[in-house]
Amino acid sequence: MVDKRPAAVFYCAESSDVVTAVNFARSQGFLVAVRGGGHNVAGSSVCDGGLVIDVSRMKRIEVDPIRRVARAEAGLNLGEFDAATQVHGLATTMGVNADTGIAGLTLGGGFGKLGRKHGLSCDNLVAVEIVTADGRLLTANAAENADLFWGIRGGGGNFGIVTTFEYKLHPVGPLLIAGSMLYRYAEAREAMRFYRAFSSGAPDELSLDAALVTAPSANASSAYRRATSAHSTKASKSFNL
């Protein structure tokens, strides 16, 4: 979807590599783009003629199940993050696609299936390590560099390059109830009205989405119906949509 040609890509293994890359780019007058651990449909994770600082190989994560805190490097995607926290039956609000990077999601706010109960991804962020444009590696939280911490919690990626995120976690899973209800397009108006009425009174623990989807064919639609039904049955035999 995006065709840009950077002059170079700098792959980072740790925070000190990011510092080196930022200092080099500044000294040479390079335009900088930052790539986290996932996709970027807007194309801002790559640039023409500049330096791409790529942190996708920084994937360390430490989970403290007692304090319910996860310390995660910026190269992780949501699937990798969830896999580590679910070992302890813990999770926090992330997005809805496993291949999304935690960095871009969190810096943009981050809404996901746990948002009604636990707030946005940035609401669950308690601290970061961040490299600023002048090459300093800082810690930012509610007490230290508080203004910077306020800015990155949903304000976007231009405050610096976050190398490590620390999140608060919540007891979730590992068994969840999930499923889909499918309607013909002729029933869309009735289905949307039901969705609005039901979701407005639903408990915060229940996440609901509505979508209008064009199926490639009637056979594909039937196959999708069977697949979602099987998935729901497998998730919980007492709940089958």
Side-chain angles (χ1 to χ4, degrees):
M1 294 174 64
V2 179
D3 184 18
K4 295 180 181 179
R5 310 297 175 90
V9 179
F10 197 111
Y11 288 101
C12 301
E14 54 190 24
S15 296
S16 61
D17 293 339
V18 179
V19 172
T20 299
V22 168
N23 288 335
F24 174 77
R26 188 180 64 254
S27 68
Q28 301 299 314
F30 271 122
L31 177 69
V32 169
V34 183
R35 190 214 167 189
H39 56 267
N40 186 279
V41 295
S44 57
S45 61
V46 68
C47 57
D48 282 319
L51 178 66
V52 172
I53 300 177
D54 190 319
V55 300
S56 63
R57 300 181 182 185
M58 298 173 57
K59 292 184 177 294
R60 287 180 287 269
I61 179 170
E62 299 173 0
V63 179
D64 185 337
I66 304 301
R67 296 174 52 232
R68 293 180 181 171
V69 169
R71 182 176 174 83
E73 289 189 329
L76 286 164
N77 62 37
L78 307 193
E80 293 163 338
F81 181 92
D82 287 343
T85 61
Q86 277 295 282
V87 170
H88 308 282
L90 299 171
T92 197
T93 304
M94 289 293 181
V96 296
N97 294 312
D99 61 347
T100 301
I102 68 169
L105 178 88
T106 303
L107 295 176
F111 184 77
K113 298 296 186 182
L114 303 182
R116 287 174 60 126
K117 178 68 175 178
H118 299 299
L120 302 175
S121 302
C122 64
D123 293 326
N124 291 280
L125 189 65
V126 295
V128 299
E129 285 188 353
I130 183 171
V131 179
T132 56
D134 57 0
R136 291 183 296 159
L137 177 62
L138 304 177
T139 296
N141 53 42
E144 187 175 356
N145 296 303
D147 287 348
L148 180 59
F149 186 60
W150 177 87
I152 66 169
R153 293 173 67 232
N158 285 331
F159 295 94
I161 303 174
V162 178
T163 58
T164 305
F165 297 82
E166 189 170 322
Y167 301 91
K168 58 184 174 182
L169 303 174
H170 312 278
V172 177
L175 296 179
L176 300 171
I177 296 175
S180 299
M181 299 181 69
L182 305 179
Y183 297 86
R184 293 185 296 271
Y185 188 79
E187 302 169 314
R189 186 182 299 274
E190 179 184 354
M192 287 296 185
R193 285 174 172 165
F194 168 77
Y195 166 79
R196 180 179 180 180
F198 183 78
S199 62
S200 64
D204 289 344
E205 289 80 3
L206 181 61
S207 178
L208 300 162
D209 297 298
L212 298 176
V213 179
T214 301
S217 67
N219 290 336
S221 179
S222 298
Y224 178 73
R225 185 189 298 270
R226 290 194 300 271
T228 54
S229 177
H231 175 74
S232 300
T233 304
K234 183 177 180 181
S236 174
K237 292 182 185 285
S238 63
F239 184 81
N240 184 18
L241 294 178

